[in-house]
Amino acid sequence: MKKNISTLKLPHYKSTASCQAVRMAVPKEVLLPMNMHSGQEAVPIVQVGEHVTVGQLIAREEGRNSAPVHASVSGTVKAIEPYAANGRKTTAIRIESDGKQERCPDLKLPQPTNLDEFLQCVRDSGVVGLGGAAFPVWAKLAAAQKNHIQTVLINGAECEPFITSDHRVMLECGELIQKGIELLKQFLQSEEYIIGIEKNKPDAIEALTERFKDDPAVKVMPLSSVYPQGAKQVLLYNATGKVVGPGQRLASLGVIIINVTSLVKMAEYFATGMPLVERIVTVDGSAVKEPKNLIVPIGSSVRDLVEACGGLKSEPGKLLFGGPMMGKTVATMDASILKATNAIVIMDRKDAKKSEPSACIRCGRCVAVCPLGLNPTAFAHAMELENEDERAAILQKEQVSLCMECGCCSYVCPTHRPLAENNSAARRFIRGWESAHKEGGK
Ligand code: SF4
Ligand code: SF4
């Protein structure tokens, strides 16, 4: 990676920062997709008509980097049906709630005695990267089987505008953060734990500094409020001075990065035996009447969350899962809250209006702002080439696979070029091209 860790000052719009997370009323039903993690889909193990309880395993993990799914309400399985509201086609389990939130009687407190057992428990918890990446946490921690992990970086940067769910977790779940770190100390035996928090959250910095004041292994590190401070490569560089190269694993540098909410949910499983069935979601945006932080069962619909926020005050123009920089547009209010949904942002029509792109004026701002020193205009030119091998050669040379789709380049472009969308298409192309060439033995 070229070192160009730049600074993009964005308006924060964190109007919910002081809103304590409140529990939403139990929804009438939840719809739980099988692809709420980055790897292979989970496989349903319940039947239509079956009674299920909260925390019950309803879909087992299957294949690479998969994760199990647990019932987030007690009630009856009404359907196992096709689902595509969040973009990718999958299967989802629909559960009609009985309103009782009855705990699954089979849940037990995990009591691992060594690293392998600990990893199995984390695997059973269903916890994935809850800051958005959705990579199973056990798979990340499993790096400790091969490499000594000296430093655990706990990501509390939360640099995207609007989102405050990690912020609330840091203020409201300090004990679980401590428990999570104790677990990692016991089983990973890492020497150093750095909690990276942007300076726009002084109360969280203060609370955690106070909590860990007698623990020399834990360092609370205030970070500049610049976007994308929470991106893996940026956080790594700013917190440790280390740089991860193309194709290099973080663990080979003796580091892993875990999102603070993921750490808390992992710790909660060890403290209560309850796997991941609910989370805090920030609900905000110009169309939302009363922005809030809500504790919601996974699989609740956007509609349920919006109702819990007093409804909409204007016609929605855009619904985002996540923030305005890296969030994904979703077309329907029936979409389910996924494990990694940290926020939904609903903009009114005025805020959602896109500026029309015009020709590139070669100002170079997109290159100058890229934290990794990448050249998005080169990606755009490559994507115009008909010859796929030539296209791939340029994209590889320009290291498109390093792009983290942070959107900084699009944000600064004065002619509104759709650079982030193009980068995303280029990354998809190169993944497909490389896997086809690997399979073809070329
Ligand atoms: S989205 Fe743009 S700014 Fe962000 S890493 Fe990719 S090329 Fe760089
Ligand atoms: S910022 Fe926009 S106009 Fe400027 S070089 Fe990049 S693509 Fe062209």
Side-chain angles (χ1 to χ4, degrees):
M1 184 185 77
K2 296 170 214 166
K3 281 185 262 173
N4 187 29
I5 305 290
S6 74
T7 54
L8 187 52
K9 292 266 183 200
L10 295 178
H12 296 149
Y13 299 121
K14 294 193 185 263
S15 64
T16 55
S18 58
C19 300
Q20 190 167 357
V22 288
R23 192 168 291 280
M24 187 178 82
V26 182
K28 286 198 176 72
E29 61 175 29
V30 292
L31 186 58
L32 293 143
M34 297 295 100
N35 63 354
M36 293 192 280
H37 45 268
S38 61
Q40 276 178 248
E41 293 189 11
V43 176
I45 56 163
V46 285
Q47 306 295 321
V48 174
E50 197 172 325
H51 178 73
V52 292
T53 45
V54 180
Q56 182 179 330
L57 181 71
I58 56 168
R60 62 174 162 77
E61 63 165 90
E62 173 78 26
R64 197 157 181 266
N65 296 334
S66 187
V69 180
H70 302 86
S72 56
V73 295
S74 58
T76 308
V77 176
K78 293 308 273 187
I80 298 175
E81 61 190 62
Y83 178 87
N86 293 87
R88 286 179 297 151
K89 286 184 186 162
T90 184
T91 302
I93 300 176
R94 190 180 291 276
I95 305 172
E96 187 179 70
S97 166
D98 59 13
K100 296 180 186 159
Q101 288 305 79
E102 195 186 332
R103 180 184 160 105
C104 175
D106 300 333
L107 297 180
K108 293 188 187 77
L109 276 191
Q111 285 175 331
T113 57
N114 56 43
L115 177 61
D116 289 349
E117 288 174 15
F118 171 67
L119 292 174
Q120 185 56 51
C121 295
V122 179
R123 203 165 180 156
D124 295 341
S125 73
V127 178
V128 300
L130 300 176
F135 187 71
V137 166
W138 73 265
K140 182 177 284 193
L141 300 181
Q145 288 174 316
K146 289 196 185 133
N147 303 81
H148 173 62
I149 304 299
Q150 196 205 334
T151 305
V152 177
L153 253 176
I154 298 160
N155 191 350
E158 203 167 50
C159 56
E160 270 257 0
F162 290 98
I163 311 175
T164 62
S165 53
D166 284 347
H167 187 174
R168 293 315 306 176
V169 161
M170 289 188 283
L171 288 174
E172 297 173 31
C173 308
E175 228 171 278
L176 286 171
I177 294 174
Q178 204 162 8
K179 179 165 177 68
I181 290 176
E182 289 308 321
L183 284 163
L184 298 182
K185 278 186 186 170
Q186 186 181 350
F187 294 107
L188 266 57
Q189 296 180 350
S190 304
E191 287 85 1
E192 186 183 37
Y193 299 82
I194 301 174
I195 309 176
I197 309 174
E198 275 199 356
K199 287 179 190 162
N200 62 0
K201 302 178 243 314
D203 46 0
I205 292 171
E206 195 186 318
L208 293 178
T209 303
E210 174 62 22
R211 179 170 288 277
F212 291 105
K213 67 176 190 291
D214 297 324
D215 187 341
V218 182
K219 185 172 177 191
V220 177
M221 184 177 283
L223 301 163
S224 318
S225 301
V226 290
Y227 182 84
Q229 186 65 267
K232 179 177 81 177
Q233 298 93 323
V234 179
L235 183 66
L236 176 74
Y237 183 67
N238 286 341
T240 69
K242 293 183 179 175
V243 172
V244 63
Q248 192 180 12
R249 288 180 186 277
L250 268 186
S252 67
L253 301 173
V255 181
I256 55 167
I257 301 180
I258 182 167
N259 164 267
V260 69
T261 299
S262 307
L263 180 77
V264 160
K265 285 295 174 185
M266 180 193 83
E268 198 174 17
Y269 179 62
F270 285 87
T272 66
M274 181 57 74
L276 178 63
V277 293
E278 65 176 24
R279 65 159 300 151
I280 300 179
V281 179
T282 302
V283 186
D284 203 348
S286 49
V288 177
K289 228 182 229 172
E290 299 160 21
K292 284 181 184 170
N293 279 304
L294 295 172
I295 303 168
V296 308
I298 309 287
S300 304
S301 71
V302 172
R303 201 178 297 284
D304 291 326
L305 274 67
V306 168
E307 269 172 33
C309 291
L312 296 176
K313 60 183 178 194
S314 49
E315 194 67 25
K318 193 181 205 178
L319 162 60
L320 285 167
F321 270 47
M325 297 299 285
M326 291 187 77
K328 301 275 177 264
T329 309
V330 171
T332 167
M333 298 264 281
D334 294 324
S336 295
I337 299 305
L338 311 176
K339 289 180 178 181
T341 309
N342 49 11
I344 54 172
V345 175
I346 309 177
M347 296 177 184
D348 61 22
R349 286 180 181 260
K350 186 168 110 321
D351 286 351
K353 210 168 167 218
K354 267 181 134 178
S355 304
E356 281 303 311
S358 54
C360 170
I361 56 169
R362 298 170 188 264
C363 66
R365 287 187 207 174
C366 54
V367 180
V369 79
C370 176
L372 307 182
L374 301 175
N375 183 350
T377 58
F379 306 156
H381 291 144
M383 289 301 281
E384 285 165 10
L385 295 174
E386 297 248 325
N387 184 313
E388 294 201 343
D389 292 340
E390 282 177 29
R391 194 193 296 175
I394 296 177
L395 291 175
Q396 282 177 327
K397 180 170 159 276
E398 297 290 340
Q399 301 188 320
V400 72
S401 56
L402 284 182
C403 171
M404 50 198 178
E405 299 182 32
C406 66
C408 290
C409 47
S410 286
Y411 185 83
V412 298
C413 177
T415 60
H416 313 294
R417 309 289 307 156
L419 298 170
E421 288 94 326
N422 187 71
N423 299 344
S424 180
R427 278 164 50 77
R428 274 197 309 278
F429 166 78
I430 204 72
R431 272 200 300 270
W433 188 90
E434 285 175 350
S435 109
H437 284 68
K438 210 185 282 172
E439 280 162 22
K442 289 185 193 175

